[in-house]
């Protein structure tokens, strides 16, 4: 099955924990064993897995990306949001997580984060679950 779900970011840069939403989609699918692919069809957002316990981990990642990709005069893209495009490519657009006994096989400290780099905006998340009941 494939599921399209919407998400709204509230600020220019924001990492939103979507682990619960993805687990609900798996619950509704009835699939117990397989793979869950989470994909975003955007060029200024990303998706990643990282620690969901200490929020400073996410803050450190955001701050590090800002230092890695400062705005620069030599960027030519007319929209003026080249750092958001570059961060999107660094973070990537999909993740794949194994599903077993109906649950995401995430580690104890792992969460799935939607990464907004050019918000606030309405975004789409596409979830494909491949497997069996
Ligand atoms: Zn752009």
């Amino acid at each position: 099955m494939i599921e399209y779900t919407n998400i709204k970011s509230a600020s220019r840069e924001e990492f939103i924990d979507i682990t619960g939403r993805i687990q609900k989609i798996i619950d509704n699918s009835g699939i117990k064993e397989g793979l869950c692919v989470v994909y975003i069809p955007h060029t200024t957002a990303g998706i990643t897995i990282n620690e969901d316990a200490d929020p400073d981990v996410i803050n450190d990642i955001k701050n590090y990306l800002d230092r890695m990709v400062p705005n620069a005069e030599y960027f030519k893209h007319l929209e003026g949001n080249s750092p958001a495009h570059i961060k999107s490519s660094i973070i990537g657009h999909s993740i794949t997580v194994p599903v077993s006994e109906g649950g995401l096989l995430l580690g104890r400290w792992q969460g799935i984060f939607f990464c907004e780099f050019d918000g606030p905006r309405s975004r789409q998340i596409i979830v494909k679950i491949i497997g069996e009941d």
Side-chain angles (χ1 to χ4, degrees), residues 23 26-27 31-33 97-106:
Q23 182 60 55
I26 295 169
D27 293 347
I31 290 174
K32 300 289 184 220
E33 304 293 327
V97 183
V99 174
S100 185
E101 297 177 357
L104 290 161
L105 280 188
L106 291 168

Short mmCIF file of all heavy atoms in Angstrom, two decimals, residues 23 26-27 31-33 97-106:
data_model
loop_
_atom_site.label_atom_id
_atom_site.label_comp_id
_atom_site.label_asym_id
_atom_site.label_seq_id
_atom_site.Cartn_x
_atom_site.Cartn_y
_atom_site.Cartn_z
N GLN A 23 4.20 5.13 12.37
CA GLN A 23 3.77 3.88 13.01
C GLN A 23 2.26 3.68 12.85
O GLN A 23 1.80 2.56 12.63
CB GLN A 23 4.18 3.88 14.49
CG GLN A 23 3.80 2.60 15.23
CD GLN A 23 4.44 1.35 14.62
OE1 GLN A 23 5.65 1.29 14.47
NE2 GLN A 23 3.63 0.35 14.25
N ILE A 26 1.50 2.26 9.51
CA ILE A 26 1.80 0.82 9.51
C ILE A 26 0.68 0.06 10.21
O ILE A 26 0.21 -0.97 9.72
CB ILE A 26 3.17 0.54 10.17
CG1 ILE A 26 4.29 1.17 9.34
CG2 ILE A 26 3.40 -0.96 10.34
CD1 ILE A 26 5.63 1.19 10.03
N ASP A 27 0.23 0.58 11.36
CA ASP A 27 -0.87 -0.06 12.10
C ASP A 27 -2.10 -0.22 11.19
O ASP A 27 -2.70 -1.30 11.13
CB ASP A 27 -1.27 0.78 13.32
CG ASP A 27 -0.18 0.82 14.38
OD1 ASP A 27 0.78 0.02 14.30
OD2 ASP A 27 -0.28 1.69 15.28
N ILE A 31 0.11 -4.55 7.85
CA ILE A 31 1.33 -5.28 7.48
C ILE A 31 2.18 -5.50 8.73
O ILE A 31 2.40 -4.58 9.53
CB ILE A 31 2.10 -4.51 6.38
CG1 ILE A 31 1.31 -4.59 5.07
CG2 ILE A 31 3.52 -5.09 6.21
CD1 ILE A 31 1.87 -3.76 3.93
N LYS A 32 2.61 -6.74 8.91
CA LYS A 32 3.36 -7.09 10.13
C LYS A 32 4.86 -7.26 9.87
O LYS A 32 5.67 -7.02 10.76
CB LYS A 32 2.81 -8.41 10.72
CG LYS A 32 1.34 -8.35 11.10
CD LYS A 32 1.10 -7.49 12.32
CE LYS A 32 -0.36 -7.51 12.73
NZ LYS A 32 -0.82 -6.19 13.17
N GLU A 33 5.20 -7.75 8.68
CA GLU A 33 6.60 -8.02 8.37
C GLU A 33 6.93 -7.40 7.02
O GLU A 33 6.24 -7.67 6.04
CB GLU A 33 6.87 -9.53 8.30
CG GLU A 33 6.50 -10.31 9.56
CD GLU A 33 7.38 -9.96 10.74
OE1 GLU A 33 8.59 -9.65 10.54
OE2 GLU A 33 6.86 -9.99 11.88
N VAL A 97 12.98 1.63 6.72
CA VAL A 97 13.08 1.00 8.04
C VAL A 97 12.41 -0.37 7.98
O VAL A 97 11.27 -0.47 7.50
CB VAL A 97 12.39 1.87 9.13
CG1 VAL A 97 12.57 1.24 10.51
CG2 VAL A 97 12.93 3.29 9.12
N PRO A 98 13.08 -1.43 8.45
CA PRO A 98 12.41 -2.72 8.51
C PRO A 98 11.22 -2.69 9.48
O PRO A 98 11.26 -1.96 10.48
CB PRO A 98 13.50 -3.68 9.04
CG PRO A 98 14.78 -2.94 8.87
CD PRO A 98 14.46 -1.49 8.93
N VAL A 99 10.20 -3.47 9.16
CA VAL A 99 9.02 -3.61 10.03
C VAL A 99 8.96 -5.07 10.47
O VAL A 99 9.07 -5.98 9.65
CB VAL A 99 7.73 -3.25 9.26
CG1 VAL A 99 6.49 -3.54 10.10
CG2 VAL A 99 7.76 -1.79 8.83
N SER A 100 8.82 -5.28 11.78
CA SER A 100 8.67 -6.63 12.30
C SER A 100 7.63 -6.63 13.41
O SER A 100 7.59 -5.70 14.23
CB SER A 100 10.01 -7.14 12.82
OG SER A 100 9.87 -8.49 13.22
N GLU A 101 6.78 -7.66 13.41
CA GLU A 101 5.68 -7.75 14.36
C GLU A 101 4.86 -6.46 14.39
O GLU A 101 4.42 -6.00 15.46
CB GLU A 101 6.21 -8.12 15.75
CG GLU A 101 6.87 -9.50 15.75
CD GLU A 101 7.48 -9.88 17.11
OE1 GLU A 101 7.42 -9.06 18.04
OE2 GLU A 101 8.00 -11.00 17.20
N GLY A 102 4.71 -5.84 13.22
CA GLY A 102 3.88 -4.64 13.08
C GLY A 102 4.52 -3.35 13.57
O GLY A 102 3.87 -2.31 13.59
N GLY A 103 5.80 -3.42 13.95
CA GLY A 103 6.45 -2.21 14.48
C GLY A 103 7.70 -1.84 13.70
O GLY A 103 8.38 -2.70 13.13
N LEU A 104 8.00 -0.54 13.68
CA LEU A 104 9.25 -0.06 13.08
C LEU A 104 10.42 -0.59 13.90
O LEU A 104 10.41 -0.49 15.13
CB LEU A 104 9.28 1.47 13.12
CG LEU A 104 8.33 2.21 12.19
CD1 LEU A 104 8.15 3.66 12.68
CD2 LEU A 104 8.85 2.18 10.77
N LEU A 105 11.42 -1.13 13.23
CA LEU A 105 12.60 -1.64 13.95
C LEU A 105 13.60 -0.51 14.19
O LEU A 105 14.73 -0.56 13.71
CB LEU A 105 13.26 -2.79 13.18
CG LEU A 105 12.61 -4.16 13.31
CD1 LEU A 105 13.48 -5.23 12.65
CD2 LEU A 105 12.36 -4.53 14.77
N LEU A 106 13.15 0.49 14.93
CA LEU A 106 14.05 1.60 15.28
C LEU A 106 14.79 1.26 16.55
O LEU A 106 14.28 0.53 17.41
CB LEU A 106 13.23 2.88 15.48
CG LEU A 106 12.59 3.47 14.23
CD1 LEU A 106 11.59 4.56 14.60
CD2 LEU A 106 13.66 4.03 13.29
#
